[in-house]
Amino acid sequence: MCGIVGFTGTKQAAPVLLDGLSKLEYRGYDSAGIAVRDGESETEIIKEKGKLKNLQEMTDNGKAVKGCCGIGHTRWATHGEPSALNAHPHSSDDGNVIAVHNGIIENYQELREKLMKHGYVFHTQTDTEVAVKLIDYYYKKYAPLPIEAIARSMVRIRGSYALCVMFKDYPGEIYCARKDSPMIIGVSGEDTFVASDVPAILKYTRNVYYIGNMEIAKLEQGKATFFTIDSEEIQKPLTEIKWDAKSADKGNFEHFMLKEIYEQPNVIRETIDSVVKDGKISFDTINLTDEEMQQIEQVYIVACGSAYHVGVDLQYVMESLTSLQVRVELASEFRYRKMTLNKKSIVIVISQSGETADTLEALRSAKNQGIKTLGIVNVVGSSIAREADNVFYTQAGPEIAVATTKAYSTQLVAGYLLSLQFAKARNEIEECRYQALLEEIYTIPDKVERILEDKERLQWYSAKLINIGDAFFIGRGIDYAIGLEGSLKLKEISYIHSEAYAAGELKHGPISLIENGTLVISIATQDTLIEKTVSNMAEVKSRGAKLMAVTTAGNYFLEDTAEFTCYIPKIDPLFAGSLSVIPLQLLSYYVSIGKGFDADKPRNLAKSVTVE
Ligand code: F6R
């Protein structure tokens, strides 16, 4: 959840660290710190509570701190309140070991007690201080060898971590280790970088190494060497990241979220183009054959948050197009369920970051049962991408805003293509319908663009919603799936209490919550279900609800019931979700900024949830 950056090379480290951390603030932002060393001199540690700008001001954007080797961290508190004391980097009392850490050390109490028996004193409530002092203990006990000390600590630590460590005796060097927490290493000429996510170093290099689970790396000027936990050296290939450095910048937009909403037409198009060649879907790069698709009887779609909502939509799409049994599961539940999976099934995990702890574990538990897995993933080289049997990469590029928009839209389109290809491979769709649906998918980017062009009406209506206390999203089928996403968007960035219900469920309880002025947003794009949804709208209206509707162009009769209606261009109802979600993203964004919030960094949330 937190962000790590490290640098050793020929430049001044502090500005590089602060710049990198600014690109990672979306991962966590309650405090930040850096440790920088100038040659053999003492390491300077500066840390502060609050957003990174406090640290930037204290150090004159890093210019006041001298040295070409350092580590930095932006924190999202897990153990210990957000404070300058608990902020990273942490140091052993004699300054021998200094480190930053992402993740959670589950047995930190036990390790802390052990270390206290050996005379260690603890000044913070963090698990990171325990890791630092454990490494210091092994370094001093066995031999002053960094790799050895880290490896022995890794054997003792339970939990997840990405660690960057500096040792007093090894100036100019940074040591890294990871387990289930992302970390990449980049090299450019004489400069070496480490970061928990690509945007932090994209400005300097696109050539990266992926450090594997339970591996250790030693970073020196322009060089990275990798070791197993048994201290044996391993060779790794350099991978080129294709992302454009500009895509990790806000450009002329006030927020990343708005920029990312506007990037949707392009990234959806790129996701389609990545697998459609000459009017046909080809999964050569995904390594999923028609024969394999024919064998499958059951599909489990497993994910968290918005990615789970993608799964809910895809369940309807896949079941409409194929005879497959489809189940959508929350990864945090799926991983602990004691269920025997159908051997002829595929587990599709969906994740932007490719690092979500629950989704990764769900993937692993499916693999342990010998079930075939497919990841729909955005971040190249992420843990899920590396561990899944097959990977469909979405082409969203770096997504910085905490609330997902463009990654969600690309996941949805990837899922449509997958569903369509399942139907084709299994001979469950006629060629002309296949071609017609593929053409419909091709129209999505332009139609999204048209919705974005009409943003002023939504902006105007959003201004009327900033004092709303409660909101309900209702819809049936795919519209319900989109309601789930619209509701999450609204609540997570505007802090308005919001819930989504399948419209038919209203009468089974939730309708008792409707009173004068309660906002109800109805999504009504599914031709066969629209009349039923309109009846539900009338029911809530008669109880005082303030009603907004999202529907397809032509359904003007909804204006008789809703006070504000937003139209999406006509499209096959199977793919309407890709369009109806766009006004809901915009609405949430404008309500959030109308209330004076930072839409990019909602409170208590972090972009990638690498702990349970
Ligand atoms: C909400 C949001 C989250 C993520 C969820 C899964 O706007 O972004 O709900 O969808 O945390 O994250 P990934 O896709 O990285 O696994």
Side-chain angles (χ1 to χ4, degrees), residues 485-554:
E485 178 58 8
S487 172
L488 178 61
K489 285 284 92 78
L490 185 68
K491 81 176 90 167
E492 68 182 331
I493 61 170
S494 73
Y495 317 144
I496 291 174
H497 164 249
S498 170
E499 295 183 46
Y501 284 100
E505 275 293 295
L506 272 178
K507 287 205 221 35
H508 299 283
I511 200 160
S512 65
L513 291 167
I514 306 295
E515 52 188 25
N516 256 349
T518 308
L519 176 66
V520 177
I521 299 183
S522 166
I523 302 108
T525 66
Q526 302 298 299
D527 300 342
T528 53
L529 300 167
I530 199 160
E531 280 180 10
K532 292 185 194 302
T533 305
V534 172
S535 304
N536 298 129
M537 287 167 67
E539 282 156 15
V540 292
K541 189 175 177 182
S542 66
R543 286 159 179 85
K546 185 178 176 64
L547 257 173
M548 168 179 163
V550 177
T551 189
T552 313

Side-chain angles (χ1 to χ4, degrees), residues 287-348:
N287 203 16
L288 191 61
T289 64
D290 285 0
E291 291 68 37
E292 285 171 311
M293 288 178 147
Q294 282 158 13
Q295 301 303 316
I296 291 165
E297 288 172 357
Q298 167 91 48
V299 175
Y300 299 93
I301 305 179
V302 186
C304 297
S306 294
Y308 167 79
H309 299 157
V310 169
V312 178
D313 187 309
L314 293 181
Q315 179 180 32
Y316 293 106
V317 176
M318 218 175 251
E319 284 179 348
S320 296
L321 292 175
T322 70
S323 62
L324 288 161
Q325 309 283 309
V326 186
R327 271 173 76 158
V328 194
E329 302 276 345
L330 288 165
S332 53
E333 292 294 312
F334 182 85
R335 63 180 286 194
Y336 293 115
R337 287 259 289 277
K338 307 246 178 312
M339 62 175 178
T340 310
L341 302 177
N342 178 340
K343 289 286 172 216
K344 288 192 171 173
S345 64
I346 184 166
V347 169
I348 302 176

Side-chain angles (χ1 to χ4, degrees), residues 219-525:
L219 312 190
E220 298 163 272
Q221 272 195 10
K223 189 174 165 202
T225 321
F226 296 88
F227 301 89
T228 64
I229 198 162
D230 301 318
S231 306
E232 278 163 20
E233 194 174 327
I234 34 178
Q235 301 301 323
K236 283 194 177 276
L238 257 185
T239 306
E240 196 199 340
I241 301 276
K242 301 269 188 304
W243 286 357
D244 178 358
K246 269 201 242 126
S247 50
D249 261 335
K250 250 190 287 195
N252 293 328
F253 288 88
E254 201 183 332
H255 291 99
F256 277 107
M257 183 172 174
L258 191 60
K259 176 177 179 252
E260 289 163 5
I261 289 174
Y262 271 81
E263 282 172 351
Q264 291 180 110
N266 272 344
V267 296
I268 293 173
R269 205 171 279 125
E270 282 168 25
T271 302
I272 301 170
D273 288 344
S274 71
V275 295
V276 181
K277 308 267 172 319
D278 306 324
K280 278 205 185 83
I281 300 168
S282 156
F283 283 162
D284 287 355
T285 50
I286 297 165
N287 203 16
L288 191 61
T289 64
D290 285 0
E291 291 68 37
E292 285 171 311
M293 288 178 147
Q294 282 158 13
Q295 301 303 316
I296 291 165
E297 288 172 357
Q298 167 91 48
V299 175
Y300 299 93
I301 305 179
V302 186
C304 297
S306 294
Y308 167 79
H309 299 157
V310 169
V312 178
D313 187 309
L314 293 181
Q315 179 180 32
Y316 293 106
V317 176
M318 218 175 251
E319 284 179 348
S320 296
L321 292 175
T322 70
S323 62
L324 288 161
Q325 309 283 309
V326 186
R327 271 173 76 158
V328 194
E329 302 276 345
L330 288 165
S332 53
E333 292 294 312
F334 182 85
R335 63 180 286 194
Y336 293 115
R337 287 259 289 277
K338 307 246 178 312
M339 62 175 178
T340 310
L341 302 177
N342 178 340
K343 289 286 172 216
K344 288 192 171 173
S345 64
I346 184 166
V347 169
I348 302 176
V349 293
I350 307 178
S351 176
Q352 185 285 129
S353 60
E355 301 291 350
T356 300
D358 285 322
T359 313
L360 181 59
E361 280 310 319
L363 170 83
R364 287 177 181 163
S365 80
K367 286 184 78 174
N368 285 343
Q369 286 200 39
I371 306 298
K372 187 169 183 56
T373 57
L374 165 72
I376 298 182
V377 180
N378 193 41
V379 177
V380 175
S382 55
S383 302
I384 293 177
R386 279 182 288 154
E387 294 188 30
D389 299 322
N390 310 82
V391 185
F392 188 154
Y393 278 116
T394 50
Q395 304 295 319
E399 191 176 62
I400 309 292
V402 167
T404 183
T405 51
K406 62 173 181 170
Y408 171 92
S409 286
T410 54
Q411 288 162 353
L412 206 49
V413 161
Y416 298 159
L417 293 160
L418 195 63
S419 309
L420 199 51
Q421 194 53 24
F422 259 112
K424 171 116 165 118
R426 298 158 64 86
N427 287 323
E428 292 177 332
I429 190 167
E430 285 179 6
E431 183 59 28
C432 58
R433 171 112 169 110
Y434 171 84
Q435 284 304 333
L437 288 180
L438 198 50
E439 272 163 37
E440 279 292 82
I441 293 176
Y442 258 118
T443 68
I444 295 173
D446 287 348
K447 289 175 180 167
V448 170
E449 220 151 77
R450 271 159 52 199
I451 300 169
L452 293 173
E453 278 161 15
D454 195 26
K455 75 166 180 15
E456 274 73 22
R457 281 186 74 235
L458 267 164
Q459 201 169 352
W460 167 82
Y461 188 65
S462 309
K464 297 180 181 296
L465 304 184
I466 54 178
N467 293 319
I468 289 286
D470 298 286
F472 293 88
F473 288 69
I474 58 168
R476 288 165 185 262
I478 284 172
D479 291 334
Y480 163 56
I482 298 306
L484 289 170
E485 178 58 8
S487 172
L488 178 61
K489 285 284 92 78
L490 185 68
K491 81 176 90 167
E492 68 182 331
I493 61 170
S494 73
Y495 317 144
I496 291 174
H497 164 249
S498 170
E499 295 183 46
Y501 284 100
E505 275 293 295
L506 272 178
K507 287 205 221 35
H508 299 283
I511 200 160
S512 65
L513 291 167
I514 306 295
E515 52 188 25
N516 256 349
T518 308
L519 176 66
V520 177
I521 299 183
S522 166
I523 302 108
T525 66

Side-chain angles (χ1 to χ4, degrees), residues 136-153:
D136 181 66
Y137 169 74
Y138 284 125
Y139 183 87
K140 287 177 178 148
K141 179 164 182 195
Y142 291 106
L145 298 171
I147 306 274
E148 176 82 15
I150 293 174
R152 282 184 184 268
S153 305

